[in-house]
């Protein structure tokens, strides 16, 4: 093999690896931000996600084949293990839980302020959220539901199902229901902390 041909093949492998890395990174971001992205692209999120999986897996396979053609078996093994590992982690991670828990930790002060205003009775039934919390609600508002304050994080495009987080001044009971969408009700299923619950 000539030096020029070797350089050309190395450049091809590099391009496939860059494409694979970009695809895996896009998938990571897309999985984490699934709820806010679905508000912007209701059905387009599925298409974008599928395209990212094709890009990541396709470029990984192309890089693997190119490395095998060059007889770079050690590097081919590394690419195979990394792609399988990253794909496995992306596929098996509970992204809903990761997103909700991390957003709760990141915005705890703002949520504490919202809860304090709710307890004080200074919020209207439908209150506009501060811009820092706006992405935690599909309509940018918090809603009074009984004695709770509910933030609708996601609703399907038909309004038949939804999920969100709710603040309860007193712990909710097993029969507590929250209207999560025009055609759906949910229950608090997991305590996040400080009276805030995940509702689905």
């Amino acid at each position: 093999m000539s030096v020029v041909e070797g350089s050309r093949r190395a450049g091809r492998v590099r391009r496939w690896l860059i494409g694979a890395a970009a695809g895996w990174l896009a998938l990571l971001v897309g999985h984490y931000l699934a709820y806010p992205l679905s508000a912007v692209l209701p059905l387009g999120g599925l298409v974008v996600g599928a395209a990212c999986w094709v890009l990541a897996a396709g470029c990984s396979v192309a890089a693997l084949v190119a490395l095998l053609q060059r007889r770079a078996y050690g590097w081919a093994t590394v690419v195979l293990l990394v792609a399988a590992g990253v794909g496995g982690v992306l596929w098996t991670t509970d992204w809903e839980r990761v997103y909700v828990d991390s957003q709760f930790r990141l915005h705890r002060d703002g949520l504490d302020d919202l809860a304090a205003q709710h307890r004080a009775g200074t919020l209207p039934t439908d209150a506009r959220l501060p811009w820092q919390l706006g992405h935690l609600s599909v309509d940018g508002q918090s809603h009074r539901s009984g004695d709770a304050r509910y933030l609708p994080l996601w609703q399907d495009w038909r309004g038949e199902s939804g999920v969100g987080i709710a603040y309860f001044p007193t712990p909710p009971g097993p029969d507590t229901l929250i209207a999560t969408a025009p055609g759906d009700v949910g229950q608090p299923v997991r305590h996040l902390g400080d009276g805030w619950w995940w509702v689905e």
Side-chain angles (χ1 to χ4, degrees):
M1 182 194 316
S2 69
V3 174
V4 173
E5 181 63 22
S7 176
R8 193 175 299 135
R9 285 189 179 183
R12 198 174 321 137
V13 170
R14 203 168 19 254
R15 284 191 298 277
W16 288 125
L17 289 174
I18 290 169
W24 292 121
L25 182 60
L27 275 170
L28 174 69
V29 172
H31 280 303
Y32 179 75
L33 296 175
Y35 281 128
L37 288 175
S38 68
V40 178
L41 304 167
L43 295 177
L46 295 174
V47 174
V48 171
C52 288
W53 273 106
V54 169
L55 174 67
C59 287
S60 296
V61 168
L64 182 65
V65 169
L67 287 166
L68 289 173
Q69 287 175 341
R70 296 185 69 202
R71 296 191 173 131
Y73 301 119
W75 284 110
T77 302
V78 169
V79 167
L80 177 63
L81 291 175
V82 169
V86 172
V89 166
L90 287 171
W91 191 260
T92 59
T93 298
D94 183 352
W95 289 104
E96 178 180 86
R97 189 179 195 114
V98 169
Y99 180 75
V100 170
D101 290 355
S102 65
Q103 290 298 308
F104 178 74
R105 284 192 302 273
L106 284 169
H107 299 289
R108 199 162 195 160
D109 290 342
L111 291 169
D112 286 345
D113 290 343
L114 187 66
Q117 292 174 50
H118 176 73
R119 284 192 309 272
T122 59
L123 292 174
T125 301
D126 300 314
R128 174 75 41 202
L129 289 168
W131 69 269
Q132 301 95 325
L133 300 177
H135 67 284
L136 296 177
S137 172
V138 292
D139 60 4
Q141 296 182 345
S142 70
H143 306 276
R144 185 175 186 91
S145 179
D147 67 341
R149 178 61 51 176
Y150 179 66
L151 282 68
L153 182 61
W154 174 84
Q155 289 180 9
D156 75 352
W157 64 280
R158 293 177 298 189
E160 293 177 347
S161 64
V163 295
I165 59 175
Y167 171 74
F168 294 89
T170 57
D175 298 327
T176 302
L177 296 175
I178 296 279
T180 57
D184 189 30
V185 293
Q187 291 184 295
V189 293
R190 186 166 64 87
H191 188 237
L192 302 173
D194 299 334
W196 287 94
W197 288 72
W198 176 243
V199 178
E200 61 183 21

